[in-house]
Amino acid sequence: EDQVTQSPEALRLQEGESSSLNCSYTVSGLRGLFWYRQDPGKGPEFLFTLYSAGEEKEKERLKATLTKKESFLHITAPKPEDSATYLCASISGGYQKVTFGIGTKLQVIP
Amino acid sequence: DTGVSQNPRHKITKRGQNVTFRCDPISEHNRLYWYRQTLGQGPEFLTYFQNEAQLEKSRLLSDRFSAERPKGSFSTLEIQRTEQGDSAMYLCASSVAGTVTDTQYFGPGTRLTVL
């Protein structure tokens, strides 16, 4: 069974303090690794899809990277509006089932 | 592109009642998914449609749960004889088939509270 583990579960940063969120996965036949952002009471908002080890994608202050065992979401100089839960998810096999981690709840303090 | 919409946004019901939720995917998206999310957890896959065909169901989807997508457009998720353990956020997502890995776009969710 596919497993996706995210750490830390919660992270508190000062505004401007860069950090990284970790997503480790045990997936048979990984086809893609997603990152989503979720605000309280809302649905997940798509950020990135990574397909193969070594791939990197960037969007504003966020950069996602992928290795054969884990993915990182790097946040550079975060702002309070970056506060949210960040979810990592894998897709594998011949169908469209996505397995999510429990997320990292990020709080950025002004 | 108006995004994925879900109705109702909130539903409070008494144990034992039936509830039905609706999801309207992004137009032209032929794949539709249902997930359940409880507090502090990531979304859990429930079921998936390609057009009107239900192609995958999780073992989380007990006999009390049924989903339909009659014309390959909107979808409904019905829960019969609700239990307190059914209280959760029910999320719908849609995607376009034909890429290596479809990106799933989520709706705002329907929050169900079973009293």
Side-chain angles (χ1 to χ4, degrees), chain B residues 48-114:
Chain B
Y48 139 66
F49 291 85
Q50 180 155 321
N51 299 313
E52 65 276 7
Q54 190 173 18
L55 297 185
E56 186 70 23
K57 287 173 64 172
S58 165
R59 57 181 178 271
L60 292 174
L61 214 65
S62 75
D63 291 344
R64 297 184 296 106
F65 288 70
S66 62
E68 294 183 342
R69 195 181 182 199
K71 296 184 179 179
S73 56
F74 73 92
S75 175
T76 58
L77 177 69
E78 181 183 15
I79 309 174
Q80 296 182 327
R81 305 180 304 281
T82 53
E83 302 172 355
Q84 288 185 326
D86 297 330
S87 295
M89 175 80 89
Y90 289 84
L91 294 163
C92 175
S94 70
S95 71
V96 177
T99 56
V100 172
T101 302
D102 303 349
T103 295
Q104 297 182 19
Y105 295 91
F106 283 81
T110 294
R111 179 162 297 282
L112 173 66
T113 302
V114 181

Side-chain angles (χ1 to χ4, degrees), chain A residues 1 31 36 38 91 96 98, chain B residues 31 37 59 100-101 104:
Chain A
E1 187 173 322
R31 291 169 46 216
Y36 286 87
Q38 187 172 29
I91 187 167
Q96 300 300 313
V98 174
Chain B
R31 286 181 171 162
Q37 187 177 26
R59 57 181 178 271
V100 172
T101 302
Q104 297 182 19

Side-chain angles (χ1 to χ4, degrees), chain B residues 3-80:
Chain B
V4 178
S5 61
Q6 293 187 244
N7 287 288
R9 295 293 310 279
H10 303 274
K11 179 71 177 178
I12 299 174
T13 191
K14 293 182 179 179
R15 189 175 53 187
Q17 297 295 304
N18 299 344
V19 295
T20 300
F21 310 141
R22 176 177 170 130
C23 171
D24 288 89
I26 295 171
S27 56
E28 308 307 320
H29 279 197
N30 55 351
R31 286 181 171 162
L32 187 147
Y33 313 79
W34 286 99
Y35 291 84
R36 180 174 68 187
Q37 187 177 26
T38 53
L39 199 62
Q41 300 296 314
E44 293 175 293
F45 172 82
L46 292 178
T47 190
Y48 139 66
F49 291 85
Q50 180 155 321
N51 299 313
E52 65 276 7
Q54 190 173 18
L55 297 185
E56 186 70 23
K57 287 173 64 172
S58 165
R59 57 181 178 271
L60 292 174
L61 214 65
S62 75
D63 291 344
R64 297 184 296 106
F65 288 70
S66 62
E68 294 183 342
R69 195 181 182 199
K71 296 184 179 179
S73 56
F74 73 92
S75 175
T76 58
L77 177 69
E78 181 183 15
I79 309 174
Q80 296 182 327

Side-chain angles (χ1 to χ4, degrees), chain A residues 51-64:
Chain A
Y51 295 100
S52 57
E55 188 174 2
E56 299 184 352
K57 289 192 176 174
E58 288 188 66
K59 179 181 179 180
E60 297 179 356
R61 294 177 292 282
L62 301 176
K63 182 167 90 171

Side-chain angles (χ1 to χ4, degrees), chain A residues 22-102:
Chain A
N22 178 264
C23 170
S24 62
Y25 59 90
T26 306
V27 173
S28 182
L30 181 76
R31 291 169 46 216
L33 193 294
F34 300 113
W35 282 98
Y36 286 87
R37 168 192 170 128
Q38 187 172 29
D39 293 302
K42 297 188 177 181
E45 175 190 345
F46 172 73
L47 294 173
F48 304 108
T49 306
L50 302 167
Y51 295 100
S52 57
E55 188 174 2
E56 299 184 352
K57 289 192 176 174
E58 288 188 66
K59 179 181 179 180
E60 297 179 356
R61 294 177 292 282
L62 301 176
K63 182 167 90 171
T65 61
L66 182 66
T67 71
K68 289 186 178 180
K69 294 184 178 180
E70 55 193 350
S71 177
F72 294 93
L73 184 66
H74 307 278
I75 302 176
T76 302
K79 298 182 177 182
E81 53 262 41
D82 295 322
S83 298
T85 295
Y86 290 85
L87 295 164
C88 170
S90 67
I91 187 167
S92 64
Y95 48 88
Q96 300 300 313
K97 178 183 173 183
V98 174
T99 302
F100 279 86
I102 65 171

